[in-house]
Amino acid sequence: MYMKSDVSRPEEELSGDYSYYYNLLQQTFDQMNDKPTESAIKVDEDEGKQAVKTKGLKEILSSLILIEEQEKSEKLEWDRAQEEEKMMFEEHHRKKTKVMLDYQGEFKQFDDEMDQSNRIRKRRSRAVTNAAVASVIAADSDSSPAPPKTTAAATGAAGPQQRRLWVKTRSTDWWDKCNSQDFPEEEFKKAFRMGKDTFEMICNELTSAVAKENTMLRDAVPVRQRVAVCIWRLATGEPLRLVSRRFGLGISTCHKLVLEVCSAIKNVLMPKYLQWPDDESVRTIKDEFRSLSGIPNVVGSMYTTHIPIIAPKISVAAYFNKRHTERNQKTSYSITVQGVVDPRGVFTDVCIGWPGSMPDDQVLEKSALYQRAGNGLLQDVWIVGSSGYPLMDWVLVPYTQPHLTWTQHAFNEKIGEIQRVGSDAFARLKGRWSCLQKRTEVKLQDLPVVLGACCVLHNICELRNEEIEPELMIELMDDEMVPEIGLRSAIAMKARDTIAHNLLHHNHAGTSFLS
């Protein structure tokens, strides 16, 4: 390798073979000293481009930082404006509320002052009127001879004449005729579905609950008339305007009397005449049902009927009676009445008021009777029901499969005799109290009290042997639906089969002619 000092020697000192390389090296050194090489130029260009890119990125970052700071300042300004607007709204609302409360207080104070003023004015007017009447009476007594003295009992008043409220004069001839001692017993029974003695007993029982005292404005309606209004309304089912004409009372007064007397019947008479039998009565009921059908341990016959109502304003679908609607081709709404009766047709348990769309088994599950059974109070006894009820440990129902054996068919015939006791009792209930056959004017919330009163009055009539007129008897039209789960107890299935076998074996099931 040659050093630079060697290369820089004069051309004469080098041989002719190395002159070419010397010239080439000299040119190369000159170019390196005079101008940059291509690689250096390329490096410089890359560094320039990198500097430009760096400068552009710095400018973009600076712009983004400025935009972000500007957005933050705008957001703070917007939040501040919103807070001020919210505070202004709340302040305005407080002022408005205060003004309304002040106005309400002033209005109430003004109303109280007006009421007090009206009371004072009426009191003064009454005093002036009484003074004027007293002066007229005194003037009449001075100008005419003194009448003979009479006792308070003869005049019907214990003091001076009192002011009476003006009322519309209505005829009471029909009720006065019915209330007289000479009124025929048969006519009285047709009107009130019971004899005079039974009616008198009910009046005596309800006197303490329904009696009202006379006031200085008007005389109270007597107890007998109050009870008569209620019973005649339940017995005939006539509208209130006809009840008003019969008894000479206002329509609203008649409606009020019906509800008051029904409530008194529920509170006073139901604990006496509609209760579950005691142990001694249960034994008697078992013996009577066994003598009727040959089935042991039966304590009641159960039936569920429907009472038509006007379509309610709420829960309309729940009260829609689909089966009655399809049969009669007329939209029907109803509530249910479930009852258990003894061999005489006297109700021992009722469940009233569940919507008409519910099948019989669901009504049973909602009743107090079902709760009583769940508490173990119906052990070793049967309540006989139709095929609309499930077979349970305490509910005995007929066989429902399509192909029955002779034993099952004979059992159904015998259990049908007990079922007729319940259906006949409901037929007499609806026949005696015609209000149960048509849609009533009573509100839905008051209807259970009215229906309960009908059941109590039915029991009183049955216990006192009040016969019902044959023309009043009706045919019940209550559809039965087989429950989804008809067999709910394997023990009850075996017990029913045993009862059916014993009936056939002891010639109680209509097979005595075979022996």
Side-chain angles (χ1 to χ4, degrees):
M1 180 180 291
Y2 295 98
M3 302 300 293
K4 184 177 179 182
S5 58
D6 297 333
V7 175
S8 59
R9 293 177 181 176
E11 184 176 357
E12 291 83 5
E13 297 178 2
L14 296 176
S15 63
D17 294 333
Y18 296 100
S19 60
Y20 172 78
Y21 294 102
Y22 174 79
N23 294 330
L24 180 62
L25 289 173
Q26 186 68 35
Q27 292 176 2
T28 302
F29 279 108
D30 292 341
Q31 290 177 357
M32 292 179 61
N33 294 327
D34 295 340
K35 52 182 178 181
T37 62
E38 292 181 359
S39 60
I41 294 172
K42 186 175 180 181
V43 171
D44 293 339
E45 290 178 355
D46 292 341
E47 291 178 355
K49 291 180 180 180
Q50 186 69 25
V52 172
K53 290 182 181 180
T54 304
K55 182 178 181 181
L57 289 175
K58 290 181 179 179
E59 292 177 355
I60 292 172
L61 290 175
S62 301
S63 301
L64 290 176
I65 293 172
L66 291 175
I67 293 172
E68 184 179 0
E69 291 179 354
Q70 185 177 1
E71 289 180 352
K72 288 182 180 180
S73 61
E74 291 178 354
K75 186 176 183 302
L76 291 175
E77 185 177 356
W78 170 262
D79 293 341
R80 186 164 50 252
Q82 289 291 105
E83 187 68 23
E84 293 177 356
E85 185 177 356
K86 181 180 178 181
M87 294 176 62
M88 291 177 61
F89 176 79
E90 291 179 352
E91 182 66 21
H92 178 70
H93 179 70
R94 284 195 296 271
K95 291 181 180 180
K96 185 177 180 180
T97 303
K98 184 176 182 302
V99 172
M100 292 179 65
L101 292 176
D102 294 342
Y103 176 78
Q104 184 180 5
E106 293 177 358
F107 182 79
K108 186 176 183 302
Q109 182 179 0
F110 176 77
D111 189 46
D112 295 340
E113 292 176 356
M114 289 296 296
D115 289 342
Q116 184 177 2
S117 177
N118 289 334
R119 287 194 296 269
I120 295 174
R121 180 174 55 81
K122 290 180 180 179
R123 193 180 301 114
R124 290 177 180 176
S125 177
R126 192 181 300 116
V128 172
T129 303
N130 292 339
V133 171
S135 63
V136 171
I137 294 174
D140 291 342
S141 61
D142 292 340
S143 60
S144 60
K149 294 182 179 181
T150 56
T151 62
T155 58
Q161 182 177 356
Q162 300 292 331
R163 181 173 177 263
R164 289 290 183 264
L165 184 67
W166 180 88
V167 293
K168 181 180 179 180
T169 302
R170 295 182 175 90
S171 175
T172 59
D173 293 342
W174 183 84
W175 165 242
D176 293 338
K177 188 186 300 183
C178 294
N179 198 31
S180 65
Q181 296 293 334
D182 300 332
F183 193 70
E185 180 76 14
E186 292 299 325
E187 295 295 326
F188 189 92
K189 190 172 183 179
K190 287 182 179 180
F192 297 98
R193 307 295 193 262
M194 62 183 67
K196 291 183 178 180
D197 292 341
T198 302
F199 179 81
E200 188 68 28
M201 184 274 294
I202 294 175
C203 292
N204 293 336
E205 292 276 359
L206 298 179
T207 297
S208 60
V210 302
K212 305 293 182 182
E213 295 182 356
N214 296 338
T215 65
M216 64 180 300
L217 297 180
R218 65 173 67 183
D219 293 332
V221 179
V223 172
R224 288 177 60 85
Q225 190 173 0
R226 288 173 175 268
V227 177
V229 168
C230 178
I231 294 180
W232 193 81
R233 163 85 163 125
L234 300 179
T236 63
E238 297 292 346
L240 291 172
R241 55 183 177 83
L242 295 182
V243 181
S244 173
R245 293 179 184 176
R246 290 280 185 177
F247 291 90
L249 300 172
I251 294 178
S252 60
T253 301
C254 292
H255 179 67
K256 182 180 179 182
L257 290 179
V258 171
L259 296 181
E260 287 181 353
V261 175
C262 286
S263 180
I265 292 173
K266 175 180 177 294
N267 296 329
V268 177
L269 299 182
M270 184 174 284
K272 297 181 180 179
Y273 296 99
L274 203 163
Q275 288 294 319
W276 189 256
D278 54 18
D279 294 340
E280 182 178 355
S281 300
V282 165
R283 287 192 292 269
T284 303
I285 291 173
K286 288 181 180 179
D287 294 340
E288 293 180 358
F289 274 125
R290 185 163 190 170
S291 63
L292 174 66
S293 63
I295 301 177
N297 298 324
V298 176
V299 297
S301 176
M302 182 165 54
Y303 189 85
T304 299
T305 190
H306 288 255
I307 306 299
I309 62 173
I310 300 174
K313 296 181 180 180
I314 58 175
S315 302
V316 179
Y319 293 90
F320 177 69
N321 194 324
K322 181 180 179 181
R323 299 182 295 278
H324 285 204
T325 300
E326 292 176 349
R327 185 180 66 246
N328 301 328
Q329 298 300 314
K330 184 178 180 181
T331 305
S332 175
Y333 299 90
S334 65
I335 66 171
T336 59
V337 178
Q338 173 191 284
V340 179
V341 301
D342 64 9
R344 293 176 296 176
V346 175
F347 289 102
T348 56
D349 183 88
V350 291
C351 178
I352 301 172
W354 290 103
S357 64
M358 294 177 59
D360 295 348
D361 61 323
Q362 293 183 13
V363 175
L364 175 62
E365 292 173 358
K366 299 289 185 180
S367 65
L369 183 68
Y370 192 87
Q371 297 178 2
R372 186 183 295 118
N375 294 331
L377 301 179
L378 296 179
Q379 293 182 354
D380 301 326
V381 297
W382 293 109
I383 295 178
V384 173
S386 64
S387 58
Y389 300 100
L391 177 65
M392 295 187 289
D393 291 337
W394 53 280
V395 178
L396 189 62
V397 299
Y399 292 96
T400 57
Q401 57 263 33
H403 302 291
L404 300 178
T405 65
W406 175 258
T407 302
Q408 293 171 345
H409 180 74
F411 172 83
N412 284 0
E413 287 185 349
K414 282 300 180 181
I415 204 173
E417 297 178 0
I418 301 178
Q419 292 176 359
R420 281 191 291 275
V421 174
S423 60
D424 290 346
F426 272 95
R428 293 195 299 275
L429 172 73
K430 285 189 171 183
R432 182 177 279 124
W433 312 116
S434 300
C435 67
L436 306 181
Q437 304 176 28
K438 60 185 71 174
R439 296 186 302 177
T440 179
E441 299 169 350
V442 180
K443 294 181 180 179
L444 186 60
Q445 60 267 26
D446 297 328
L447 199 53
V449 176
V450 176
L451 300 181
C454 291
C455 295
V456 174
L457 294 175
H458 166 87
N459 282 4
I460 293 174
C461 293
E462 295 290 324
L463 293 172
R464 296 178 66 89
N465 298 320
E466 296 284 355
E467 297 291 337
I468 183 174
E469 298 295 331
E471 61 271 15
L472 296 177
M473 290 294 294
I474 65 170
E475 181 181 359
L476 296 178
M477 300 294 292
D478 296 305
D479 303 305
E480 295 180 357
M481 290 182 59
V482 178
E484 296 181 359
I485 305 177
L487 303 176
R488 302 188 182 181
S489 172
I491 297 176
M493 291 175 59
K494 295 180 180 179
R496 182 175 64 175
D497 294 339
T498 302
I499 294 173
H501 175 76
N502 291 337
L503 289 175
L504 188 67
H505 180 70
H506 293 93
N507 294 332
H508 290 301
T511 59
S512 58
F513 65 91
L514 297 176
S515 59

mmCIF file of all heavy atoms in Angstrom, residues 456-472:
data_model
loop_
_atom_site.group_PDB
_atom_site.id
_atom_site.type_symbol
_atom_site.label_atom_id
_atom_site.label_comp_id
_atom_site.label_asym_id
_atom_site.label_seq_id
_atom_site.Cartn_x
_atom_site.Cartn_y
_atom_site.Cartn_z
ATOM 1 N N VAL A 456 -128.388 -16.534 54.316
ATOM 2 C CA VAL A 456 -128.849 -16.585 55.709
ATOM 3 C C VAL A 456 -130.368 -16.653 55.758
ATOM 4 O O VAL A 456 -130.956 -17.465 56.513
ATOM 5 C CB VAL A 456 -128.327 -15.367 56.487
ATOM 6 C CG1 VAL A 456 -128.917 -15.336 57.889
ATOM 7 C CG2 VAL A 456 -126.804 -15.399 56.565
ATOM 8 N N LEU A 457 -131.042 -15.820 54.967
ATOM 9 C CA LEU A 457 -132.514 -15.848 54.941
ATOM 10 C C LEU A 457 -133.019 -17.190 54.417
ATOM 11 O O LEU A 457 -134.062 -17.692 54.872
ATOM 12 C CB LEU A 457 -133.033 -14.705 54.078
ATOM 13 C CG LEU A 457 -132.770 -13.291 54.615
ATOM 14 C CD1 LEU A 457 -133.222 -12.250 53.605
ATOM 15 C CD2 LEU A 457 -133.492 -13.083 55.939
ATOM 16 N N HIS A 458 -132.312 -17.783 53.466
ATOM 17 C CA HIS A 458 -132.670 -19.125 52.987
ATOM 18 C C HIS A 458 -132.609 -20.130 54.124
ATOM 19 O O HIS A 458 -133.526 -20.966 54.286
ATOM 20 C CB HIS A 458 -131.726 -19.524 51.852
ATOM 21 C CG HIS A 458 -131.774 -20.982 51.519
ATOM 22 N ND1 HIS A 458 -132.669 -21.519 50.630
ATOM 23 C CD2 HIS A 458 -131.013 -22.040 51.981
ATOM 24 C CE1 HIS A 458 -132.477 -22.829 50.532
ATOM 25 N NE2 HIS A 458 -131.478 -23.166 51.346
ATOM 26 N N ASN A 459 -131.536 -20.079 54.928
ATOM 27 C CA ASN A 459 -131.413 -21.013 56.047
ATOM 28 C C ASN A 459 -132.541 -20.830 57.050
ATOM 29 O O ASN A 459 -133.089 -21.808 57.572
ATOM 30 C CB ASN A 459 -130.064 -20.815 56.739
ATOM 31 C CG ASN A 459 -128.929 -21.467 55.973
ATOM 32 O OD1 ASN A 459 -129.122 -22.009 54.890
ATOM 33 N ND2 ASN A 459 -127.728 -21.404 56.528
ATOM 34 N N ILE A 460 -132.888 -19.582 57.336
ATOM 35 C CA ILE A 460 -133.976 -19.329 58.290
ATOM 36 C C ILE A 460 -135.276 -19.924 57.772
ATOM 37 O O ILE A 460 -136.035 -20.573 58.526
ATOM 38 C CB ILE A 460 -134.109 -17.819 58.535
ATOM 39 C CG1 ILE A 460 -132.868 -17.295 59.274
ATOM 40 C CG2 ILE A 460 -135.361 -17.511 59.346
ATOM 41 C CD1 ILE A 460 -132.842 -15.790 59.448
ATOM 42 N N CYS A 461 -135.552 -19.731 56.492
ATOM 43 C CA CYS A 461 -136.785 -20.282 55.925
ATOM 44 C C CYS A 461 -136.761 -21.810 55.932
ATOM 45 O O CYS A 461 -137.784 -22.460 56.207
ATOM 46 C CB CYS A 461 -136.979 -19.771 54.498
ATOM 47 S SG CYS A 461 -137.317 -18.002 54.376
ATOM 48 N N GLU A 462 -135.617 -22.418 55.639
ATOM 49 C CA GLU A 462 -135.530 -23.873 55.643
ATOM 50 C C GLU A 462 -135.684 -24.424 57.058
ATOM 51 O O GLU A 462 -136.376 -25.434 57.271
ATOM 52 C CB GLU A 462 -134.194 -24.310 55.050
ATOM 53 C CG GLU A 462 -134.002 -23.984 53.579
ATOM 54 C CD GLU A 462 -134.891 -24.829 52.690
ATOM 55 O OE1 GLU A 462 -135.109 -26.017 53.005
ATOM 56 O OE2 GLU A 462 -135.384 -24.305 51.672
ATOM 57 N N LEU A 463 -135.050 -23.789 58.028
ATOM 58 C CA LEU A 463 -135.135 -24.263 59.404
ATOM 59 C C LEU A 463 -136.539 -24.102 59.978
ATOM 60 O O LEU A 463 -136.961 -24.897 60.842
ATOM 61 C CB LEU A 463 -134.124 -23.517 60.281
ATOM 62 C CG LEU A 463 -132.646 -23.803 59.991
ATOM 63 C CD1 LEU A 463 -131.761 -22.858 60.780
ATOM 64 C CD2 LEU A 463 -132.302 -25.258 60.311
ATOM 65 N N ARG A 464 -137.287 -23.124 59.518
ATOM 66 C CA ARG A 464 -138.645 -22.885 59.996
ATOM 67 C C ARG A 464 -139.691 -23.494 59.060
ATOM 68 O O ARG A 464 -140.875 -23.156 59.163
ATOM 69 C CB ARG A 464 -138.871 -21.384 60.152
ATOM 70 C CG ARG A 464 -137.972 -20.745 61.219
ATOM 71 C CD ARG A 464 -138.200 -19.243 61.308
ATOM 72 N NE ARG A 464 -139.522 -18.921 61.794
ATOM 73 C CZ ARG A 464 -139.850 -18.769 63.072
ATOM 74 N NH1 ARG A 464 -138.920 -18.948 64.014
ATOM 75 N NH2 ARG A 464 -141.083 -18.456 63.430
ATOM 76 N N ASN A 465 -139.220 -24.368 58.152
ATOM 77 C CA ASN A 465 -140.128 -25.117 57.266
ATOM 78 C C ASN A 465 -141.033 -24.207 56.438
ATOM 79 O O ASN A 465 -142.221 -24.474 56.262
ATOM 80 C CB ASN A 465 -140.978 -26.098 58.079
ATOM 81 C CG ASN A 465 -140.135 -27.135 58.798
ATOM 82 O OD1 ASN A 465 -139.163 -27.635 58.245
ATOM 83 N ND2 ASN A 465 -140.495 -27.440 60.044
ATOM 84 N N GLU A 466 -140.451 -23.131 55.924
ATOM 85 C CA GLU A 466 -141.194 -22.245 55.028
ATOM 86 C C GLU A 466 -141.157 -22.848 53.622
ATOM 87 O O GLU A 466 -140.115 -22.849 52.959
ATOM 88 C CB GLU A 466 -140.573 -20.848 55.027
ATOM 89 C CG GLU A 466 -140.638 -20.121 56.343
ATOM 90 C CD GLU A 466 -142.031 -19.573 56.631
ATOM 91 O OE1 GLU A 466 -142.910 -19.684 55.739
ATOM 92 O OE2 GLU A 466 -142.246 -19.044 57.730
ATOM 93 N N GLU A 467 -142.269 -23.375 53.192
ATOM 94 C CA GLU A 467 -142.329 -24.012 51.889
ATOM 95 C C GLU A 467 -142.263 -22.960 50.781
ATOM 96 O O GLU A 467 -142.824 -21.867 50.905
ATOM 97 C CB GLU A 467 -143.614 -24.831 51.746
ATOM 98 C CG GLU A 467 -143.726 -25.987 52.739
ATOM 99 C CD GLU A 467 -142.722 -27.075 52.448
ATOM 100 O OE1 GLU A 467 -142.270 -27.165 51.288
ATOM 101 O OE2 GLU A 467 -142.384 -27.830 53.380
ATOM 102 N N ILE A 468 -141.587 -23.316 49.692
ATOM 103 C CA ILE A 468 -141.496 -22.425 48.547
ATOM 104 C C ILE A 468 -142.549 -22.824 47.525
ATOM 105 O O ILE A 468 -142.833 -24.020 47.336
ATOM 106 C CB ILE A 468 -140.083 -22.473 47.930
ATOM 107 C CG1 ILE A 468 -139.959 -21.487 46.780
ATOM 108 C CG2 ILE A 468 -139.740 -23.875 47.484
ATOM 109 C CD1 ILE A 468 -138.550 -21.373 46.218
ATOM 110 N N GLU A 469 -143.151 -21.846 46.898
ATOM 111 C CA GLU A 469 -144.173 -22.117 45.904
ATOM 112 C C GLU A 469 -143.571 -22.885 44.725
ATOM 113 O O GLU A 469 -142.469 -22.558 44.260
ATOM 114 C CB GLU A 469 -144.788 -20.814 45.410
ATOM 115 C CG GLU A 469 -145.499 -20.008 46.491
ATOM 116 C CD GLU A 469 -146.713 -20.744 47.039
ATOM 117 O OE1 GLU A 469 -147.316 -21.536 46.279
ATOM 118 O OE2 GLU A 469 -147.053 -20.530 48.220
ATOM 119 N N PRO A 470 -144.259 -23.906 44.214
ATOM 120 C CA PRO A 470 -143.700 -24.700 43.105
ATOM 121 C C PRO A 470 -143.376 -23.863 41.868
ATOM 122 O O PRO A 470 -142.399 -24.148 41.166
ATOM 123 C CB PRO A 470 -144.792 -25.733 42.818
ATOM 124 C CG PRO A 470 -145.574 -25.827 44.093
ATOM 125 C CD PRO A 470 -145.537 -24.459 44.689
ATOM 126 N N GLU A 471 -144.186 -22.830 41.600
ATOM 127 C CA GLU A 471 -143.932 -22.027 40.412
ATOM 128 C C GLU A 471 -142.671 -21.171 40.539
ATOM 129 O O GLU A 471 -142.168 -20.639 39.537
ATOM 130 C CB GLU A 471 -145.123 -21.117 40.104
ATOM 131 C CG GLU A 471 -145.463 -20.121 41.182
ATOM 132 C CD GLU A 471 -146.450 -20.659 42.201
ATOM 133 O OE1 GLU A 471 -146.648 -21.890 42.227
ATOM 134 O OE2 GLU A 471 -147.018 -19.848 42.955
ATOM 135 N N LEU A 472 -142.155 -21.049 41.749
ATOM 136 C CA LEU A 472 -140.937 -20.268 41.943
ATOM 137 C C LEU A 472 -139.673 -21.089 41.700
ATOM 138 O O LEU A 472 -138.598 -20.513 41.548
ATOM 139 C CB LEU A 472 -140.900 -19.682 43.360
ATOM 140 C CG LEU A 472 -141.981 -18.669 43.709
ATOM 141 C CD1 LEU A 472 -141.852 -18.229 45.171
ATOM 142 C CD2 LEU A 472 -141.916 -17.464 42.794
#
